[in-house]
């Protein structure tokens, strides 16, 4: 992916701060140099300070960056808007209509309006994204038929999103989601796209906020967020966020308990240099529920929505912590450098049961008891330099950098089935009576380092005032190896790919100042972790072509995007739903097979922002047609390959506030939304479901600027549907029945 700064609307002059790159001082009182009168486009720095609503000293690294880029602040907390001024995922702060790919940002205001508290719930609101529940607080996220991969404050990670515990949403300012390959900044990854998790940063003034929610099935959530200066000069600022969830589920015998703490300190070492340090910890204790079975022919058994299949003692415990750091310096001439690092550790213990035989007419089946231990240690670092180059009487922009990503997993698992223990055969699926004392001994542990490093660069060339050529790419180095820790065996290099290029090329044309047309081409490279019964799959290679229109309307209050895309990928891994979890080194993992060649193509429409005073909207429609073009099984050619990926997906959220923006007392608001999707199939094609629609509603009342209450009703029509489909044994999960949630929010 290639993004770069300076693609501003052609009629607008470059801001003064952007021209020489010097960061603004904190305040005139402490820093008289604030009154310098460098000029660009006829406006002085001091004039721009007085015009700016953020006229005081930057309160975070991100704000410091923004200071020199024409007030393009990517921060969403406190803006009161669904529209973001800029997106930070591409190293440069760019407006959404300057980015030649599909990008959506879910900001703090929409999270607050919809009472979103988990990453899963948040990503369900993003256009074209499918969230597939795993029954223990984790999920799998896909877009365009492919998995999404994470970035954390711009640092790419090969793991940590799919089937992984996530921190409470209260610690994040926004989620930036790019759909389509992101090879330049992500490296090796599926062509589904990237999710950049951007943490909240400290402010340079005091603010405290919090919320408490309570609703159906004893669902409670609370969070508190305090930020402000830690020194009189405001050169040291801090933020502390605490959050907790204590809930039962609509199905029996299931609960989720998690507690999160996050702290961040920003130190403004000089007017141009800022150091940020953060620490996050979370404790998780969640029921492990493998979902409902289906009939042998894949049809629905129609169990009650409160049904729980398996032993009620199944659980996942997954404590996790993360340390992060960031150092940024602004040079002269508009250049800056940023170094970011992260270290996360997750320790997971799972003990649970699942069905592994067809359910009989008497609702009995054979069971498996599983025991797993997994420790993931993620380490990552990203360093880049960026700035303008002036040539041929035009300004061009360059980004050069490199990053490193490591995931060292130490894991082991063991199972006991009905062939070994006849007491697990022919049990009532709803009340199997399996003792928790049956906990298979883990005798083999593996250590599996996955490491990736790469160098990247991008150049944005101004061909004309309204026409820009973007070109760049990345060279990636990837290695996966493993060793048997239990036997102290040497490492075996399972995958190694050196100097793999992922180029990127794009054109952006501002047809008129507020409407841009674009076309882009990019490659993807994906080492695959899946196994067939015969061994590990080879990496797949893909290419995407995308084009579309992006527009800003109502003085940048509403963003509209229309995009079309086509992705072709070879050697794509697909879950072999006809086989049980009998693959991998231990013979307990899901089996995959190579599809040979697959294609995903479609169109997306998104509108987000304010269409009238007080009326906010986020609406999207996605059409995705993914098919198998070539497969060893000719009967599958021409059929869809991506499970739980509907051809038609419509998402809407809208909220109206019955008052002028300046009125902050005694104000009513109403909100509503719906999700409508077409038919889908599960990991086994015989498991299917038709189209469905789920609608939600909200009523809110703002007593005064500091206190707001809201009442949400979800699934108003009590639609009965599966939020995820699996195979005939497990991974079939009902969506929530009608439920309510009341929330009190305060800001001080």
């Amino acid at each position: 992916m290639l993004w770069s700064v300076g693609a501003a609307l052609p009629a607008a002059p470059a801001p003064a701060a952007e021209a020489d790159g010097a960061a603004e001082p904190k305040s005139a009182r402490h820093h008289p140099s604030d009154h310098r009168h460098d000029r660009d486009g006829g406006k002085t720095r001091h004039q721009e300070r007085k015009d700016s609503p953020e006229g005081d000293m930057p309160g975070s690294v991100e704000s410091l960056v923004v200071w020199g880029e024409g007030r393009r602040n990517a921060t969403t907390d406190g803006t009161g808007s669904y529209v973001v001024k800029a997106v930070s995922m591409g190293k440069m702060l760019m407006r959404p209509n300057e980015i030649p790919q599909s990008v959506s940002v879910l900001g703090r205001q929409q999270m607050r309006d919809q009472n979103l508290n988990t990453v899963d719930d948040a990503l369900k609101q993003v256009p074209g994204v499918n969230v597939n529940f795993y029954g223990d607080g984790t999920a799998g996220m896909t877009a365009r038929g492919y998995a999404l991969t994470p970035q954390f404050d711009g640092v790419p990670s090969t793991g940590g999103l799919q089937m992984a515990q996530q921190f409470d949403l209260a610690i994040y300012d926004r989620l930036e989601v790019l759909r389509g390959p992101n090879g330049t900044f992500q490296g090796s990854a599926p062509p589904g796209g990237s999710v950049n998790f951007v943490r909240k940063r400290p402010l340079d003034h005091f603010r405290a906020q919090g919320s408490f929610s309570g609703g159906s099935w004893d669902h409670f959530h609370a969070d508190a967020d305090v930020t402000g200066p830690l020194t009189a000069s405001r050169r040291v600022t801090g933020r502390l966020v605490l959050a907790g969830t204590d809930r039962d589920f609509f199905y029996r015998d299931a609960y989720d308990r998690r507690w999160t703490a996050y702290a961040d300190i920003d130190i403004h070492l000089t007017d141009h240099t800022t150091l940020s340090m953060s620490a996050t910890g979370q404790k998780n204790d969640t029921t492990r529920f493998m979902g409902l079975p289906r009939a042998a022919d894949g049809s629905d058994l129609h169990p009650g929505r409160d049904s729980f299949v398996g032993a009620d003692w199944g659980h996942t415990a997954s404590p996790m912590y993360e340390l992060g750091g960031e150092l940024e310096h602004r040079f002269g001439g508009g250049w800056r450098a940023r170094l970011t690092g992260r270290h996360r550790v997750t320790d997971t213990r799972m003990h649970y049961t699942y069905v592994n035989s067809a359910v009989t007419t008497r609702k009995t089946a054979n069971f498996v008891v599983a025991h797993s231990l997994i420790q993931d240690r993620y380490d990552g670092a990203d360093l880049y330099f960026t700035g303008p180059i002036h040539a041929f009487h035009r300004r061009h922009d360059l980004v050069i950098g490199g990053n490193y990503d490591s995931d060292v997993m130490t894991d082991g698992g063991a199972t006991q089935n009905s062939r070994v223990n006849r007491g697990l055969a022919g049990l009532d699926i709803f009340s199997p009576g399996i003792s928790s004392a049956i906990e298979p001994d883990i005798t083999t542990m593996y250590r599996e380092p996955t490491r990736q490093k790469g160098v990247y660069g991008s150049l944005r060339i101004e061909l004309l005032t309204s026409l820009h050529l973007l070109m760049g790419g990345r060279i990636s180095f990837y290695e996966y190896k493993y060793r048997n820790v239990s036997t102290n065996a040497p490492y075996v290099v399972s995958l190694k790919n050196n100097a793999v290029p992922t180029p990127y090329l794009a054109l952006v044309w501002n047809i008129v100042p507020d409407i841009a047309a674009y076309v882009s081409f990019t490659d993807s490279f994906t080492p695959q972790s899946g196994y067939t019964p015969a061994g590990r799959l080879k990496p797949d290679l893909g290419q995407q072509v995308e084009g579309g229109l992006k527009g800003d309307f109502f003085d940048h209050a509403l963003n509209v995007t229309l995009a079309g895309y086509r992705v072709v990928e070879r050697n794509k891994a697909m879950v072999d739903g006809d086989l049980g979890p009998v693959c991998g080194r231990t013979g307990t993992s899901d089996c995959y097979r190579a599809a040979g060649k697959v294609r995903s193509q479609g169109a997306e429409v998104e509108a987000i922002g304010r269409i009238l005073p007080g009326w906010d909207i986020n609406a999207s429609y996605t059409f995705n047609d993914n098919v198998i073009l070539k497969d060893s099984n000719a009967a599958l050619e021409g059929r869809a390959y991506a499970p739980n990926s509907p051809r038609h997906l419509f998402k809407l959220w809208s909220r109206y506030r019955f008052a002028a923006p300046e009125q902050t007392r005694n104000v009513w608001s109403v909100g509503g939304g719906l999700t409508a999707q077409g038919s889908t199939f599960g990991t086994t094609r015989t498991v299917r479901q038709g189209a469905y629609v789920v609608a939600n509603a909200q009523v809110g009342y703002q007593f005064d600027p500091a206190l707001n209450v809201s009442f949400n009703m979800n699934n108003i029509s009590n639609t009965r549907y599966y939020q995820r489909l699996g195979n005939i044994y497990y991974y079939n999960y009902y969506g929530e029945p009608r439920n309510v949630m009341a929330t009190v929010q305060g800001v001080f």
Side-chain angles (χ1 to χ4, degrees):
M1 248 283 308
L2 169 70
W3 304 341
S4 122
V5 79
L9 301 177
E18 196 170 43
D20 70 11
E24 286 294 332
K26 203 155 194 176
S27 69
R29 184 176 56 138
H30 295 291
H31 304 284
S33 60
D34 183 73
H35 295 272
R36 290 173 293 178
H37 286 265
D38 300 336
R39 293 182 177 269
D40 189 338
K43 179 177 277 193
T44 68
R45 289 178 179 275
H46 184 51
Q47 289 169 334
E48 189 156 304
R49 281 288 305 277
K50 292 193 293 184
D51 293 345
S52 172
E54 295 119 339
D56 288 327
M57 169 183 165
S60 67
V61 175
E62 198 167 69
S63 299
L64 183 64
V65 176
V66 171
W67 204 248
E69 297 191 357
R71 292 166 289 169
R72 293 187 181 195
N73 196 331
T75 300
T76 69
D77 192 18
T79 65
S81 174
Y82 290 4
V83 172
V84 296
K85 295 181 180 179
V87 179
S88 62
M89 181 183 283
K91 311 304 180 185
M92 282 292 189
L93 296 176
M94 297 182 67
R95 297 188 182 96
N97 71 336
E98 298 169 343
I99 301 170
Q101 277 188 268
S102 297
V103 177
S104 300
V105 180
L106 185 73
R108 198 69 233 168
Q109 186 63 40
Q110 188 175 349
M111 296 178 194
R112 182 175 182 265
D113 287 350
Q114 290 191 256
N115 194 31
L116 304 174
N117 298 314
T118 69
V119 169
D120 298 354
D121 287 341
L123 290 176
K124 287 178 182 178
Q125 310 304 317
V126 176
V129 174
N130 302 294
V131 178
N132 299 316
F133 190 53
Y134 276 108
D136 64 348
T138 68
M141 291 76 172
T142 64
R144 301 184 178 179
Y146 304 96
L148 293 169
T149 46
Q151 294 181 7
F152 298 93
D153 289 300
V155 180
S157 177
T158 55
L161 181 61
Q162 306 294 333
M163 205 177 179
Q165 298 288 344
Q166 305 299 327
F167 288 122
D168 193 286
L169 203 62
I171 77 169
Y172 296 116
D173 175 78
R174 64 191 181 276
L175 305 185
E176 300 175 338
V177 183
L178 179 143
R179 296 178 297 283
N182 188 12
T184 298
F185 297 119
Q186 189 74 42
S188 62
S194 298
V195 181
N196 187 26
F197 294 81
V198 185
R199 295 174 293 113
K200 291 178 177 177
R201 297 296 178 86
L203 302 178
D204 65 347
H205 59 277
F206 176 80
R207 187 175 74 182
Q209 57 187 335
S211 69
F212 177 81
S213 300
S216 302
W217 312 300
D218 295 330
H219 183 176
F220 300 101
H221 179 273
D223 63 71
D225 179 355
V226 181
T227 182
L230 301 180
T231 61
S233 66
R234 297 187 297 172
R235 285 197 172 274
V236 181
T237 55
R239 193 160 196 162
L240 175 66
V241 179
L242 302 174
T245 296
D246 188 334
R247 66 176 299 189
D248 294 336
F249 291 92
F250 63 91
Y251 43 89
R252 298 190 306 270
D253 306 321
Y255 63 89
D256 185 17
R257 315 280 187 264
R258 55 187 65 217
W259 316 101
T260 308
Y262 162 70
D264 184 283
I265 295 177
D266 284 3
I267 305 171
H268 301 281
L269 302 174
T270 70
D271 291 345
H272 308 285
T273 306
T274 300
L275 173 66
S276 175
M277 298 177 290
S278 67
T280 313
Q282 181 166 283
K283 181 180 180 181
N284 306 323
D285 186 12
T286 306
T287 298
R288 175 68 166 158
F289 174 42
M290 289 290 287
L292 301 169
R294 305 275 284 204
D297 62 357
S299 60
D300 193 352
L301 293 171
H302 299 288
R305 280 188 283 184
D306 64 345
S307 298
F308 184 95
V309 171
D312 58 8
W313 45 257
H315 74 280
T316 295
S318 188
M320 54 197 293
Y321 70 84
E322 179 171 290
L323 301 176
E326 190 167 275
L327 179 66
E328 174 159 305
H329 180 74
R330 294 184 62 80
F331 304 94
W335 281 82
R336 65 183 174 90
R338 177 182 286 189
L339 172 64
T340 307
R342 61 181 290 263
H343 170 76
R344 178 183 292 191
V345 174
T346 302
D347 280 305
T348 302
R349 178 181 182 272
M350 296 185 287
H351 185 202
Y352 58 99
T353 63
Y354 61 88
V355 169
N356 74 331
S357 71
V359 177
T360 68
T361 57
R362 294 176 298 172
K363 301 298 187 291
T364 62
N366 299 338
F367 277 81
V368 171
V369 178
H371 180 203
S372 297
L373 297 175
I374 305 169
Q375 183 192 77
D376 278 294
R377 191 182 73 215
Y378 303 99
D379 293 284
D382 182 88
L383 171 65
Y384 68 91
F385 299 83
T386 183
I389 299 173
H390 300 277
F392 307 106
H393 306 289
R394 297 188 181 277
R395 170 177 167 151
H396 318 286
D397 297 278
L398 178 67
V399 176
I400 55 173
N403 49 41
Y404 171 81
D405 168 35
S406 170
D407 175 10
V408 180
M409 181 169 66
T410 304
D411 65 303
T415 61
Q416 191 172 125
N417 57 36
S418 59
R419 292 190 300 272
V420 176
N421 184 343
R422 295 304 300 169
L424 298 175
L427 302 180
D428 183 336
I429 61 173
F430 300 120
S431 182
I434 301 172
S435 171
S436 61
I438 303 176
E439 188 170 17
D441 293 330
I442 299 175
T443 59
T444 303
M445 296 288 291
Y446 288 90
R447 181 178 172 86
E448 306 175 64
T450 300
R451 295 188 172 95
Q452 177 183 212
K453 55 187 176 182
V455 293
Y456 56 82
S458 63
L459 178 63
R460 180 177 182 276
I461 302 172
E462 186 181 76
L463 301 177
L464 301 171
T465 303
S466 60
L467 182 65
H468 297 84
L469 171 67
L470 298 91
M471 55 190 300
R474 174 188 175 94
I475 302 294
S476 297
F477 300 81
Y478 179 95
E479 182 182 74
Y480 163 80
K481 58 185 180 180
Y482 67 89
R483 74 181 185 92
N484 188 322
V485 178
S486 304
T487 61
N488 201 27
Y491 277 109
V492 175
V493 177
S494 180
L495 287 175
K496 189 170 185 177
N497 302 97
N498 290 326
V500 179
T502 48
Y504 180 84
L505 185 67
L507 276 172
V508 179
W509 173 38
N510 285 95
I511 304 170
V512 295
D514 292 333
I515 299 178
Y518 72 91
V519 62
S520 61
F521 171 85
T522 185
D523 275 1
S524 65
F525 157 68
T526 314
Q528 302 188 100
S529 60
Y531 283 84
T532 70
R536 193 148 189 167
L537 291 172
K538 295 180 180 179
D540 61 45
L541 302 174
Q543 297 83 35
Q544 175 183 271
V545 177
E546 178 176 321
L549 296 169
K550 295 188 177 186
D552 288 337
F553 303 98
F554 308 133
D555 193 25
H556 305 298
L558 179 70
N559 290 345
V560 178
T561 301
L562 172 63
Y565 60 89
R566 179 184 175 93
V567 183
V568 176
E569 192 178 29
R570 300 184 301 275
N571 205 42
K572 171 66 181 173
M574 296 194 304
V575 175
D576 193 336
D578 297 327
L579 297 175
V582 296
C583 291
R585 295 186 312 274
T586 63
T588 59
S589 301
D590 288 335
C591 294
Y592 293 81
R593 53 189 174 79
K597 186 177 182 181
V598 298
R599 183 208 67 210
S600 174
Q601 63 184 12
E604 297 177 340
V605 181
E606 179 185 14
I608 183 170
R610 185 159 294 171
I611 55 180
L612 288 174
W615 189 359
D616 294 307
I617 188 171
N618 187 351
S620 66
Y621 168 72
T622 303
F623 170 76
N624 177 253
D625 176 36
N626 57 76
V627 298
I628 300 170
L629 299 178
K630 183 179 179 181
D631 193 280
S632 55
N633 182 356
L636 294 176
E637 294 180 2
R639 303 179 66 181
Y641 69 82
N644 294 290
S645 182
R647 286 170 62 90
H648 304 279
L649 180 60
F650 177 75
K651 299 181 180 182
L652 170 68
W653 169 257
S654 181
R655 181 175 180 268
Y656 185 75
R657 189 174 180 273
F658 293 93
E662 62 273 13
Q663 184 174 338
T664 58
R665 294 180 183 276
N666 305 319
V667 179
W668 286 94
S669 64
V670 295
L674 61 84
T675 298
Q677 72 169 50
S679 61
T680 53
F681 62 89
T683 54
T684 298
R685 291 178 181 275
T686 55
V687 176
R688 311 186 68 88
Q689 95 172 328
Y692 65 84
V693 178
V694 177
N696 308 315
Q698 181 194 76
V699 176
Y701 187 77
Q702 184 175 0
F703 288 93
D704 56 45
L707 182 62
N708 182 79
V709 297
S710 62
F711 180 84
N712 290 68
M713 178 175 289
N714 303 311
N715 194 358
I716 298 171
S717 62
N718 204 25
T719 300
R720 185 187 184 109
Y721 69 100
Y722 285 91
Q723 61 176 304
R724 188 202 172 179
L725 296 175
N727 52 46
I728 65 171
Y729 308 125
Y730 47 79
Y731 283 162
N732 302 287
Y733 298 98
Y734 277 127
E736 289 187 345
R738 183 188 299 118
N739 63 93
V740 297
M741 179 74 74
T743 303
V744 179
Q745 298 169 330
V747 180
F748 307 96

